[in-house]
Amino acid sequence: MSKTRIMVVDDESILRMDLREMLEEAGYEVAAEANNGDLAIELAAAHQPDLIIMDVKMPGMNGIKASRIIQQSFHIPVLLLTAYSKTELVEKARHAGVVGYLVKPITERDLIPAVEMALAQAERLKELKQELSQLEQKVESQKAINKAKGILMEQYGWNEEEAYSRLRSHCMDRQIKMEEAAAFILKNKRLV
């Protein structure tokens, strides 16, 4: 099993070094390091880490803006580091799609559970997005099948139950999916 890959972004090289040490001792791989938001975006694209630990306050682009761009472009979860825990900052972080938040100074006792929670939350979010996508596909398929059924009712004078039954039989006989038959009916306005 491969190690979880983490990118560390902070303008303080000492803190990056400390974070690297804590993460590597805990069994993580530090895939990349950056000292500003612009470089973080560039390295996120190049390395595609499993998680990014990013400071909020850095020269140039701040961590919240970089997090928003990374989240929208690459869907990589971000755990923010900050010396402040202002409500406004937390709100901005939430809107940027950040999965966790740690207040400096950071200890290994705080860091590792926060990393684990951020990774778990990111995994759950990924699963929910996949489930949502599958549900949306099912809804679209059902809509197409219902439209096809309506066309059959209109074309052949069948009632809804008969149209569905004939459509299902047609699919079973030809060993095709209902969605495929529905697509054909929608395009050609007939069953065969």
Side-chain angles (χ1 to χ4, degrees):
M1 191 170 140
S2 64
K3 288 183 178 183
T4 300
R5 300 171 66 250
I6 299 176
M7 184 168 86
V8 177
V9 184
D10 197 297
D11 58 326
E12 296 176 36
S13 59
I14 301 290
L15 183 58
R16 283 197 316 271
M17 189 174 71
D18 288 347
L19 288 170
R20 173 185 279 277
E21 200 172 284
M22 286 187 265
L23 291 166
E24 287 175 346
E25 280 179 18
Y28 298 104
E29 175 189 335
V30 176
E33 291 183 30
N35 60 3
N36 63 63
D38 293 307
L39 184 57
I41 294 166
E42 189 180 313
L43 292 176
H47 294 276
Q48 296 286 314
D50 300 303
L51 177 70
I52 297 172
I53 299 174
M54 182 158 4
D55 189 19
V56 170
K57 199 170 183 179
M58 295 180 288
M61 186 185 302
N62 71 35
I64 292 176
K65 186 173 182 184
S67 296
R68 184 178 295 111
I69 292 167
I70 288 168
Q71 189 54 237
Q72 290 170 349
S73 302
F74 315 113
H75 310 288
I76 299 169
V78 177
L79 173 63
L80 271 185
L81 304 178
T82 184
Y84 319 98
S85 58
K86 294 178 185 171
T87 308
E88 179 188 328
L89 196 61
V90 173
E91 190 66 20
K92 285 180 180 177
R94 193 172 64 78
H95 288 297
V98 170
V99 294
Y101 193 88
L102 260 174
V103 179
K104 294 177 182 179
I106 291 148
T107 64
E108 192 167 352
R109 195 182 80 222
D110 297 329
L111 177 65
I112 303 309
V115 166
E116 287 296 318
M117 292 299 292
L119 288 166
Q121 185 177 346
E123 185 60 33
R124 183 67 187 128
L125 192 59
K126 184 178 170 185
E127 289 169 3
L128 287 171
K129 284 180 180 177
Q130 287 172 341
E131 287 174 24
L132 180 61
S133 177
Q134 289 169 350
L135 285 172
E136 286 171 346
Q137 283 179 314
K138 282 183 182 179
V139 167
E140 289 306 310
S141 291
Q142 194 57 51
K143 282 182 185 176
I145 291 167
N146 286 340
K147 284 181 183 176
K149 198 168 51 173
I151 289 170
L152 294 178
M153 291 164 63
E154 192 177 299
Q155 291 287 78
Y156 301 104
W158 297 332
N159 64 30
E160 186 176 355
E161 190 178 320
E162 189 176 9
Y164 182 77
S165 177
R166 293 213 185 190
L167 178 59
R168 193 179 65 206
S169 294
H170 174 80
C171 292
M172 288 169 54
D173 291 345
R174 286 168 180 75
Q175 296 186 338
I176 60 172
K177 292 182 178 182
M178 294 275 278
E179 295 86 0
E180 292 175 48
F184 179 86
I185 293 167
L186 291 173
K187 183 178 178 186
N188 301 293
K189 306 291 185 217
R190 58 187 171 82
L191 185 57
V192 184

